[in-house]
């Protein structure tokens, strides 16, 4: 039975650390809102799990009992931690891997089972010969880091990165053994069909991000409020034999983030029966 979780990104949207200007190893993602509020709202909306950015989890490294207490009070478990890095620059790679290792350590400390790795830079001049080889090699290192800590690592294609469209997804998945984390809206915005892409890589799906999408202009929306055939995605996920978490993610929302979480939860309750 698939379980339902929700990403804390909606509470404040995603930002990066200013320290990353001078030190790649410290450039964490984070949601810019209250994690106490996010965890409380996600739990009250009826979800069982939460995904957090590594920067938000790192805030509790010196007081782990605070985060554990918030999760317990809301009936949630930390399912996954999201990180990312620029994998194609050889000189920066050791620092980037240091950050990924720190993220995996945090995920394991707080009982998560999944490490989600997003994107990676595309060069200003465009993708160079060998960039996907470098990306694949680096992602295999991520898998080793994750497995050493009992985590499942998955790669998340993302708009604005080196892997956006179906051809680029094939480039990276053919070069690495990392799992595939399909994000329904990013796949569609990148020109793919989410259900077809899941069916193309059934043995690689290790984690799933659900969000809805409208193309013109590109807008991410609560489930059921966009144009995606999410029923087909869920069917494809089931056909693949996937029975782990469905993680709802919504990058931003004009209204109350808790209301958005409730909208998506009601949609999934009806869809999943």
């Amino acid at each position: 039975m698939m379980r339902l979780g929700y990403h804390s990104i909606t509470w404040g949207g995603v930002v990066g650390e200013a320290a990353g200007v001078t030190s790649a190893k410290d450039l964490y993602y984070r949601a810019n809102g209250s994690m106490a509020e996010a965890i409380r709202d996600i739990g009250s909306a009826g979800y069982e799990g939460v995904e957090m950015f590594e920067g938000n989890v790192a805030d509790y490294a010196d007081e782990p009992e605070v985060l554990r207490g918030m999760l317990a009070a809301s009936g949630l478990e930390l399912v996954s931690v999201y990180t990312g890095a620029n994998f194609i620059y050889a000189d920066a790679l050791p620092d980037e891997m240091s950050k990924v290792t720190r993220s995996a350590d945090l995920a394991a400390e707080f009982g998560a089972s999944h490490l989600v790795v997003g994107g990676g830079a595309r060069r200003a001049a465009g993708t160079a010969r060998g960039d996907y080889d470098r990306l694949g090699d680096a992602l295999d290192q991520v898998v080793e880091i994750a497995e050493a800590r009992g985590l499942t690592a998955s790669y998340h294609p993302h708009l604005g990165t080196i892997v956006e469209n179906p051809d680029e997804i094939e480039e990276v998945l053919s070069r690495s053994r990392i799992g595939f984390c399909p994000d329904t809206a990013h796949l569609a915005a990148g020109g793919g069909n989410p259900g077809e892409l899941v069916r193309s890589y059934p043995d690689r799906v290790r984690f799933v991000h659900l969000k809805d999408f409208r193309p013109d202009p590109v807008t991410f929306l609560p489930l059921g409020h966009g144009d995606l055939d999410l029923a087909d995605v869920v069917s494809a996920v089931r056909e693949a034999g996937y029975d782990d978490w469905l993680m709802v993610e919504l990058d931003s929302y004009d209204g109350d983030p808790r209301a958005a979480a409730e909208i998506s939860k009601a949609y999934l309750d009806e869809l999943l029966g």
Side-chain angles (χ1 to χ4, degrees), residues 127-185:
T127 304
R129 179 185 295 274
D131 277 353
Y132 290 109
D133 292 329
R134 285 181 277 272
L135 177 59
D137 289 344
L139 291 176
D140 280 346
Q141 293 180 49
V142 172
V143 173
E144 293 173 2
I145 290 167
E147 288 180 345
R149 292 155 179 81
L151 304 169
T152 298
S154 302
Y155 182 76
H156 179 304
H158 201 289
L159 287 179
T161 74
I162 193 172
V163 181
E164 298 179 276
N165 64 49
D167 290 342
E168 292 164 349
I169 293 170
E170 172 61 22
E171 293 280 4
V172 66
L173 291 183
S174 67
R175 287 169 167 80
S176 172
R177 65 187 182 94
I178 198 166
F180 177 32
C181 174
D183 179 298
T184 52

Side-chain angles (χ1 to χ4, degrees), residues 76-116:
L76 295 176
E77 60 183 275
L78 180 65
V79 176
S80 43
V81 171
Y82 188 105
T83 188
N86 292 320
F87 296 109
I88 61 174
Y89 305 111
D91 287 349
L93 189 59
D95 277 4
E96 296 283 13
M97 285 301 180
S98 174
K99 175 181 60 180
V100 171
T101 300
R102 173 64 169 151
S103 302
D105 286 340
L106 289 165
E109 178 180 355
F110 288 99
S113 53
H114 291 271
L115 184 71
V116 182

